[in-house]
Amino acid sequence: MLQARPLQVRARGTSGASKRLVCTRAVSAPAKPAPKLTGEARSHETDVVVIGSGIGGLCCAGLLAKYGYKVTVCESHYIAGGAAHAWERDGYHFESGPSLYSGMAGRGKEANPLGHVLQALGVELDLIRYNTWNVVVPEGTFLTRIGNDNFLEVLTKIRGPEAVAEWARLQEVMRPLAKAATMIPPAAFRYDPGALITAIGRYLPSLLESGPNAAKLSGPFAGVLDGANIRDPFIRNWLDLLSFLLSGLPANGTVAAEVAFMFNEWYRPDCFLEFPRGGSQAMVQGLVGALEKFGGRMLLSSHVERILLDEKGKASGVALRGGGTIKARKAVISNASVWDTLKLIPADRLPEQWRRERADTPACPSFMHLHVGFDAQGLDPNLELHHIVVNRWEGGVDQPQNVVLISIPSVKDPSMAPPGKHCLHAYLPATEPYELWKGLDRRSPEYAKLKEERSQVLWEGVEKVIPDIRKRAELYTVGTPLTHERFLRRYKGSYGPAIQAGKALFPGPTTPIPGLYMTGDSTFPGIGLPAVAASGTIAANTLAPVWEHWKMLDEIGL
């Protein structure tokens, strides 16, 4: 977990007098340390061990516990959540990861896969609904609402009637694709012959109806745009941006199914965004609570050093750093990335071709983060929660130091900051090259200088929304690829695999090692909160009896 350690510097206040500004450094310490088991006290036997408590791991573990298995989740850090964890400093609540949510309150096949998991586990979040976000692009600044009508107004203003006509044409093309994208909910999938019953058999009428359109969903979204003759540069840039935010790749690398599902959620009447009161940590706590309600265990500060294999080569448990062994009667499931999972198994125990293919999986770049606690006095009371800043379209949305995403959750949930204050998270989404940081000592002057230089684009992006943010700031912290690598246990601080649609497929949860499974963004369907929730669901379903899986689908109305 990240927590702030203060460094005193001097800054100029709005009156010209100097004020104390607290710059923070990330340290591995929780705001409220949990009781800690150490050494052999952690040793026990269970049915399934899940390595890592990211959203994919928690969804998988919770569902397995609901299915009746004894489940233990081993988390390396002091707090659960992986990239979705949060921390507190001086009354400011900061989030490390996801900030834009939708579809969690939905029901039926069109709901977000995370919504299906929450429903299955009986987790109810207090969701704040809203439908606007602020966009700063080279063409200008505009407030956009989720839904089709508002975007047509934006296009009319900045591009004209020809662009509006193109967008209308694209909507017609996307309508059947969006329907096809929801024909089989991810909650119905499993990676064994039981899928013939829970997915194919259960949803056969939908498959037959959407068959021709379903075939288009596995290719890159750029192919859909080309087929619809979408040429307006702003529309193409805009959809590159949305694709990039979904998958870490522009439209030519993002699978069409993912964008089609997004269209179904965002560009239809009466749609809205959601923010869980309490932020991402409320979501994490809900999933952990469900795991424990069904008899599962969460072990914090329990770093897995290696996956144990028995004499027949089956995954049989895990060994923990500092002592302790957890034996798994049925399975070990890794929520770590594919590269980090490979480190847990001796290379000579893995099929060489599989090991080499997985090790060579291309990786997305990393992140830069800026978290700021600041004085909100005199700011517009209608300040938006979300802001997207695109500095330039030339060169693509995935170029370094370009797109800045900004979230100010306290405008919707005031409990996340002290009275009269706001908390802010700005970041470069998967565009920061790890190579710039490789080998640097985090305590060196060179590292501090590079942090200062590479974070300026974040400050400047925020200044387009709050011009005097540096004067208002009371504390801040800067995260780098090394922060990602260290605290999130991410290979090279990466966002995840850069698997391009049409060139390769995300693998399923199974591995050549009997009893070893994977979940998270290294497995199908890939990167992003809905995707990892789906991956956790699929992994859990694969281990569950078909009749229990079918029962779960009945319970949540699928």
Side-chain angles (χ1 to χ4, degrees), residues 24-107:
T24 61
R25 178 187 299 132
V27 296
S28 181
K32 297 179 180 179
K36 183 178 179 181
L37 293 175
T38 58
E40 293 301 326
R42 298 175 295 186
S43 295
H44 63 279
E45 188 170 352
T46 188
D47 292 328
V48 180
V49 176
V50 177
I51 303 170
S53 68
I55 297 301
L58 289 177
C59 289
C60 181
L63 287 171
L64 284 171
K66 176 182 171 64
Y67 284 140
Y69 294 105
K70 299 293 185 183
V71 183
T72 297
V73 178
C74 297
E75 169 56 48
S76 181
H77 294 306
Y78 296 98
I79 191 168
H85 80 268
W87 74 98
E88 183 269 337
R89 170 71 183 181
D90 294 346
Y92 291 101
H93 293 257
F94 295 117
E95 301 189 308
S96 63
S99 59
L100 196 152
Y101 312 88
S102 64
M104 290 192 292
R107 294 293 182 267

Side-chain angles (χ1 to χ4, degrees), residues 393-414:
W393 296 121
E394 295 78 17
V397 293
D398 54 347
Q399 63 183 299
Q401 301 271 293
N402 184 17
V403 176
V404 178
L405 302 185
I406 303 165
S407 173
I408 313 174
S410 51
V411 304
K412 296 297 182 185
D413 182 1

Side-chain angles (χ1 to χ4, degrees), residues 71 76 103 129 143 239 312 370 393 402 437 439 457 463:
V71 183
S76 181
R129 293 184 176 184
L143 187 68
L239 293 172
K312 295 182 180 180
L370 174 67
W393 296 121
N402 184 17
W437 303 84
V457 67
E463 284 172 335

Side-chain angles (χ1 to χ4, degrees), residues 108-119:
K109 290 196 295 184
E110 294 184 355
N112 187 309
L114 178 58
H116 289 150
V117 175
L118 296 174
Q119 187 182 357

